[in-house]
Amino acid sequence: MLTVFETAEGVRRGRVLAEDVMRDCLKRIGAAAEICAFLHVDAERSLAAARRIDEARSRGEALGPLCGVPIAVKDNLCTSFAPTTCGSAMLAGFSSLYDAEVVRRLERAGAIVVGKTNLDEFAMGSSTENSAFGPTRNPWDPERVPGGSSGGSAAAVAARLVPAALGSDTGGSIRQPAALCGVTGLKPGYGRVSRFGLVAFGSSLDQVGPITTDARDAALLMNVLAGPDARDSTSAPDAPPDYVSAIDAPIGGLRIGLPREYFGEGLSTEVEAAVHGAIDVLRTLGARTKDITLPHTEYAAACYYLVAPAEASSNLARFDGLRYGRRAEGADLIEVYKASRGQGLGAEVKRRIMIGTHALSSGYYDAYYDKASRVRTLIRGDFERAFSEVDVIAGPVTPTTAFCLGEKTSDPLAMYLSDVYTIPANLAGICGISVPCGFDARGLPIGLQLMGPVFGEARLLQTAHQFQLATDHHRCVPPAFLATEAAA
Amino acid sequence: MSLALEDVRRVAHLARLNLTEDEAAAYVGQLASILDYFERLGTAPTADVPPTAHALALQDVLRDDVPAAGCGPDLALRNAPSVDQGFFKVPKVLADGEA
């Protein structure tokens, strides 16, 4: 399959028709139904949009930077032309009145939103098993999870069904599935990309970002996605750089920090070896490494699983069954709320709402939410100190490669700890990227995480791109999808 | 930390969630082990550390107060579970005599 870059270039130069690109994409999606990456695909609308691009080209009109590129969008991003379910029975049949700003920007740039991808309900989970519509499967091994919560988006890109997808990342939900599926996933710094139309989970942590096969495509997407939005009061006012032109510079002299806390207990030896191998590659490219410490890392998971559920318990209060969503019968108003939410929300979402409600409740606020908010300051401080000494921090994305379906569903705490290396970036508001860096003995992908300071995305994309020029892990296609790849 | 079934029921009521017997029973153990895990925060040195509610020090943004088109009642009611004469129909909020 062509990359985002190649597709847009091919359509712009008339080497391929957008309609043919779309037909091929829809065929791949149809042939890969068993991995359940998509919740909704709109073939008719997508083909009509592709034909409009071909017609515009034949009339000699200027085409956007993503012209004719099919893109999948995580189903917690609002679309007025397709259902928006958040993977929840609560929103089955819900039809948004408007498009998320990121959806609008993609389509304005000529991309075509081909469908909505599966996710853990309301983006709460690390395996995509919490979807009310069934789990997504890992294209590298259908008995294993793709990670989560953007598991559908990561699986769709890994199986080469689409050249790119959007995910959202509250505690690792772009980077962790990207690592487990062997694709490239960027979580921009908080405020870099508009959250308008992203169904809120943890409002101080959520960010939308691209999942692609390589860093160059991520840069191309970021050129379209990044920048201030008047309808998101937390979007950063400063203009973003040109990410595509930033990636070509070599990384000689780049200072890379290796945090001691990310290479300790719990990290599988195979992941550790692959990450060290990747760091060696970066050294041969001229980067200098330095051992650093992020001393409050041990508190990050506990901090996150208080802050995020606290924000979620407040954000999800809107799902009350009155103005939209599922409404159940009840004797009075309170009973209608309780029955609607009891029936409409799944076990993990309820669990997090319960944790958040408890943490914010009278008598527990100081011990839990307030304490976690102060620990969050310590974690931010760790990164501020580190980035005064280094440009980029490198480490693993996940402690292990993809685990089996059902392996962690009965132990929520074990599932939470699979995010231990991705959570700190969200708490600190910094950016992070997952880059394919090898495979374990079973052939499952391993991700290298690079983290940068607030609005350091250009440096991360440059580092990742230079790494990908020297390696080919990102070119590896899951064996089950090689045949469709070759036929196309 | 031990957690009783009544604690789970109390929080579920605050959160406006009906739980089945099985759900409530499962949450007793699961929430207790999660709350236990939170205990580690007790050793974090936060004595003189201010809280962070937000990762960025952004200022409030004010826009010009200019009227713009709304979405209109038909669109606004598009997803309503129950509608009556162009309004959302909801269960009675006030008990008899309360108004």
Side-chain angles (χ1 to χ4, degrees):
Chain A
M1 190 188 64
L2 300 176
T3 64
V4 173
F5 231 94
E6 292 161 351
T7 304
E9 187 76 358
V11 168
R12 197 177 304 114
R13 294 184 185 277
R15 286 199 292 263
V16 287
L17 287 175
E19 185 177 354
D20 290 340
V21 170
M22 186 54 75
R23 282 192 194 285
D24 173 55
C25 170
L26 292 166
K27 207 162 66 186
R28 290 161 189 269
I29 293 172
E34 74 281 1
I35 63 168
C36 302
F38 282 85
L39 292 177
H40 177 82
V41 177
D42 194 336
E44 211 171 301
R45 177 183 184 276
S46 300
L47 286 167
R51 279 191 291 268
R52 275 199 303 278
I53 286 172
D54 291 330
E55 285 157 15
R57 186 183 180 279
S58 66
R59 288 193 299 266
E61 291 172 24
L63 298 176
L66 301 177
C67 58
V69 179
I71 292 188
V73 168
K74 186 178 182 178
D75 201 25
N76 60 350
L77 287 160
C78 287
T79 46
S80 58
F81 50 85
T84 302
T85 68
C86 295
S88 180
M90 176 60 92
L91 288 178
F94 176 74
S95 167
S96 174
L97 307 189
Y98 52 84
D99 293 324
E101 176 63 15
V102 288
V103 167
R104 206 180 291 210
R105 289 189 189 196
L106 285 179
E107 295 221 320
R108 215 186 292 140
I112 301 163
V113 173
V114 63
K116 307 292 290 289
T117 54
N118 202 8
L119 68 161
D120 286 299
E121 184 177 3
F122 289 107
M124 297 179 196
S126 309
S127 68
T128 315
E129 291 168 290
N130 297 332
S131 169
F133 307 108
T136 296
R137 288 162 186 277
N138 192 313
W140 293 91
D141 178 351
E143 299 309 311
R144 289 176 187 270
V145 302
S149 64
S150 312
S153 288
V157 175
R160 304 305 195 259
L161 310 183
V162 284
L166 293 187
S168 67
D169 192 315
T170 305
S173 284
I174 289 174
R175 291 161 288 155
Q176 186 256 19
L180 301 193
C181 289
V183 293
T184 303
L186 173 71
K187 182 202 96 70
Y190 185 83
R192 184 86 281 186
V193 173
S194 170
R195 294 186 296 114
F196 179 83
L198 169 68
V199 178
F201 160 14
S203 302
S204 79
L205 305 156
D206 300 338
Q207 260 302 278
V208 180
I211 296 176
T212 52
T213 56
D214 65 31
R216 191 168 69 144
D217 279 355
L220 187 54
L221 256 67
M222 280 299 285
N223 270 6
V224 170
L225 299 171
D229 174 13
R231 288 176 304 178
D232 174 1
S233 62
T234 61
S235 81
D238 36 332
D242 178 353
Y243 297 102
V244 174
S245 68
I247 63 173
D248 288 325
I251 56 167
L254 184 79
R255 299 170 301 167
I256 299 181
L258 307 178
R260 185 172 74 194
E261 294 79 5
Y262 284 57
F263 293 92
E265 197 190 337
L267 178 62
S268 91
T269 52
E270 286 181 297
V271 172
E272 185 172 14
V275 168
H276 277 304
I279 292 162
D280 286 340
V281 170
L282 293 168
R283 279 199 203 94
T284 64
L285 296 173
R288 287 181 283 138
T289 58
K290 181 182 165 75
D291 292 330
I292 61 165
T293 176
L294 299 167
H296 300 98
T297 301
E298 61 170 310
Y299 302 116
C303 175
Y304 173 83
Y305 279 101
L306 280 162
V307 170
E311 294 185 13
S313 71
S314 169
N315 273 325
L316 271 66
R318 72 192 58 175
F319 300 106
D320 58 8
L322 294 193
R323 290 149 299 147
Y324 49 80
R326 186 188 183 109
R327 183 190 293 183
E329 297 298 316
D332 58 22
L333 188 64
I334 299 282
E335 289 305 317
V336 169
Y337 290 152
K338 291 170 76 167
S340 301
R341 292 160 62 78
Q343 292 173 21
L345 302 174
E348 179 59 27
V349 172
K350 287 186 211 171
R351 194 178 294 120
R352 299 219 194 170
I353 290 175
M354 299 272 292
I355 296 168
T357 303
H358 184 61
L360 293 172
S361 66
S362 173
Y364 296 95
Y365 180 91
D366 287 345
Y368 290 122
Y369 184 73
D370 185 72
K371 179 77 183 182
S373 301
R374 292 172 198 277
V375 171
R376 189 174 180 182
T377 308
L378 295 175
I379 290 164
R380 279 178 66 190
D382 283 356
F383 284 106
E384 278 165 21
R385 271 187 300 281
F387 286 123
S388 70
E389 295 183 89
V390 298
D391 304 307
V392 167
I393 294 173
V397 183
T398 56
T400 65
T401 53
F403 44 92
C404 289
L405 285 155
E407 190 178 326
K408 297 189 182 187
T409 41
S410 60
D411 186 354
L413 187 58
M415 186 75 89
Y416 294 174
L417 296 179
S418 68
D419 300 336
V420 68
Y421 302 130
T422 50
I423 281 168
N426 299 81
L427 291 169
I430 62 171
C431 53
I433 192 169
S434 174
V435 186
C437 73
F439 294 86
D440 71 3
R442 284 196 177 85
L444 299 169
I446 297 170
L448 165 74
Q449 181 171 215
L450 301 170
M451 290 181 280
V454 177
F455 305 146
E457 296 85 2
R459 182 59 65 77
L460 290 189
L461 291 164
Q462 174 204 359
T463 310
H465 177 62
Q466 295 301 316
F467 177 78
Q468 290 178 336
L469 288 177
T471 56
D472 57 9
H473 310 295
H474 62 289
R475 293 184 207 282
C476 298
V477 176
F481 298 91
L482 271 173
T484 41
E485 176 72 10
Chain B
M1 181 175 174
S2 72
L3 203 66
L5 190 61
E6 304 87 82
D7 297 322
V8 169
R9 292 271 178 215
R10 180 185 61 83
V11 176
H13 173 70
L14 288 175
R16 303 292 184 255
L17 287 171
N18 272 356
L19 299 182
T20 64
E21 293 297 324
D22 288 350
E23 283 175 323
Y27 285 160
V28 170
Q30 289 173 351
L31 296 181
S33 74
I34 293 165
L35 293 175
D36 270 342
Y37 183 75
F38 293 158
E39 292 297 312
R40 65 171 51 208
L41 292 180
T43 62
T46 55
D48 299 312
V49 178
T52 292
H54 224 265
L56 295 183
L58 288 171
Q59 299 291 316
D60 275 346
V61 182
L62 298 177
R63 62 168 168 76
D64 294 335
D65 189 14
V66 181
C71 69
D74 291 345
L75 211 51
L77 291 167
R78 183 158 91 184
N79 291 290
S82 181
V83 172
D84 191 4
Q85 300 170 56
F87 292 94
F88 292 99
K89 193 173 174 189
V90 302
K92 193 148 80 172
V93 177
L94 298 171
D96 291 330
E98 238 185 307

